Amino acid sequence: MPSLKALLLALFIIAVVVDQSFVEANFPKSMYINWGAHHSSFAGNGEDLQLVLDQTSGSAVKSKRSFLFGSIEMLIKLVPGNSAGTVTAYYVSATVTSTGYKHDEIDFEFLGNVSGQPYIVHTNIYTQGNGSREQQFYLWFDPTADFHNYTIHWNPTEVVWYIDNLPIRVFRNYEKDGIAFPNKQGMRVHASLWNADNWATRGGLVKIDWNSSPFIARFHRFRARACKWDGPVSINQCATKSPANWWTSPSFSQLSSSQMGQLNWVRQNFMIYDYCKDTKRFNGQIPPECFKQQF
């Protein structure tokens, strides 16, 4: 039986290793303003971010680091009132394809609406430059009244989108069947607020009412519990099964039975679009992952 000293040492080592995968993501230290510098600001000892959109500009931030696998969390309070035509985006993206691979991206986009109408949560995933995998949901709460947690979790097995710890969508790894998966590029975290009234609300039929501007989206407590990308060597390092790579644990390889119940509740009650069911759009050639076990 191991001694108490050995157990304490093992726990210390695990704690140090886990801590290395956690980014205490104070906004000014971990992100920079890459668009609309006069329309964004940090506050609250770096725990808060405010993005603004008016007729002159929107605004956006990007993480200084890239990550591969783990969990990216953000608390967001969306634009209140008449937000039609606006989009608040929160996503991870590989914009620099230094590894020679095409664009990967995992998206949350929040499509504004006229006052009293629900926001639409637009999700998508790009693998090797291929997107067209949209799923959309209404929210079961008012996302403008308070902050809610939006988490992107991905590992070598699957990508899961969470809202307040409830899974709403899963994209599993079927790379062995020729379906690309985002596992070979580090991705930076992005947040933005911008004018998308050419498509965001009712397909672009409802335009932005600039009399309601400025539009403000608020972000709080960005956290990255993820593998830090250090170039192509990270492709294997971040996927290796080890205590440090907690996301490779079998418990994260598939949703639990209770999580499946939550997922089904969201999808049955609030899902409004699923690309896998849009036969007209794909001329009957539904993407191959739609015929696989998705959860």
Side-chain angles (χ1 to χ4, degrees):
M1 194 165 176
S3 67
L4 177 60
K5 183 177 180 181
L7 283 172
L8 290 174
L9 179 60
L11 288 171
F12 173 77
I13 292 171
I14 290 172
V16 170
V17 170
V18 170
D19 184 63
Q20 289 175 345
S21 72
F22 177 79
V23 175
E24 189 66 37
N26 176 289
F27 275 112
K29 291 181 179 178
S30 61
M31 307 191 89
Y32 66 94
I33 299 166
N34 64 322
W35 172 46
H38 298 296
H39 287 69
S40 51
S41 60
F42 301 118
N45 295 319
E47 284 286 280
D48 296 286
L49 165 68
Q50 176 176 286
L51 297 181
V52 176
L53 166 67
D54 62 21
Q55 277 186 288
T56 64
S57 179
S59 49
V61 294
K62 178 193 290 190
S63 68
K64 297 174 183 178
R65 271 197 168 274
S66 295
F67 305 95
L68 178 63
F69 303 141
S71 282
I72 307 296
E73 300 182 36
M74 192 91 79
L75 296 180
I76 306 174
K77 184 191 290 188
L78 297 177
V79 174
N82 184 359
S83 57
T86 71
V87 169
T88 302
Y90 160 56
Y91 58 101
V92 294
S93 177
T95 52
V96 179
T97 54
S98 57
T99 56
Y101 293 95
K102 296 180 182 178
H103 180 68
D104 289 343
E105 185 170 304
I106 305 168
D107 296 338
F108 271 110
E109 290 185 305
F110 305 93
L111 313 186
N113 218 327
V114 295
S115 297
Q117 297 299 312
Y119 261 85
I120 291 174
V121 179
H122 177 98
T123 67
N124 199 6
I125 182 168
Y126 289 77
T127 58
Q128 289 295 284
N130 177 34
S132 302
R133 296 187 175 105
E134 299 92 344
Q135 292 184 356
Q136 295 182 339
F137 308 81
Y138 285 134
L139 288 170
W140 50 95
F141 53 85
D142 179 359
T144 72
D146 204 350
F147 288 95
H148 290 268
N149 185 303
Y150 302 91
T151 296
I152 296 168
H153 175 87
W154 83 108
N155 59 37
T157 305
E158 63 183 9
V159 177
V160 186
W161 292 251
Y162 290 91
I163 298 179
D164 290 335
N165 296 318
L166 270 65
I168 66 166
R169 179 177 181 179
V170 178
F171 184 83
R172 295 190 63 80
N173 185 351
Y174 287 109
E175 196 172 40
K176 60 181 175 53
D177 297 317
I179 300 167
F181 188 80
N183 58 5
K184 297 179 178 66
Q185 298 186 87
M187 294 200 272
R188 293 180 187 247
V189 185
H190 298 252
S192 60
L193 175 59
W194 50 290
N195 174 1
D197 69 2
N198 61 324
W199 68 274
T201 306
R202 296 184 59 204
L205 294 177
V206 183
K207 303 299 183 182
I208 289 180
D209 177 9
W210 292 110
N211 292 321
S212 300
S213 67
F215 304 99
I216 300 174
R218 303 179 190 278
F219 301 79
H220 177 65
R221 212 184 69 197
F222 163 46
R223 294 290 184 268
R225 293 183 62 234
C227 193
K228 300 171 185 176
W229 174 260
D230 290 316
V233 66
S234 296
I235 295 173
N236 289 326
Q237 287 182 346
C238 293
T240 299
K241 292 184 178 180
S242 69
N245 294 351
W246 59 267
W247 48 86
T248 62
S249 165
S251 61
F252 292 101
S253 65
Q254 193 163 6
L255 298 183
S256 67
S257 58
S258 62
Q259 288 176 319
M260 282 296 300
Q262 295 169 337
L263 179 83
N264 287 327
W265 176 78
V266 171
R267 296 174 73 83
Q268 289 169 11
N269 292 283
F270 302 100
M271 190 176 199
I272 57 174
Y273 178 80
D274 182 0
Y275 76 105
C276 282
K277 298 179 180 178
D278 195 342
T279 54
K280 183 177 180 180
R281 173 183 180 183
F282 297 104
N283 296 317
Q285 300 298 312
I286 299 296
E289 66 269 15
C290 297
F291 299 100
K292 306 287 186 181
Q293 177 186 341
Q294 294 192 38
F295 316 123

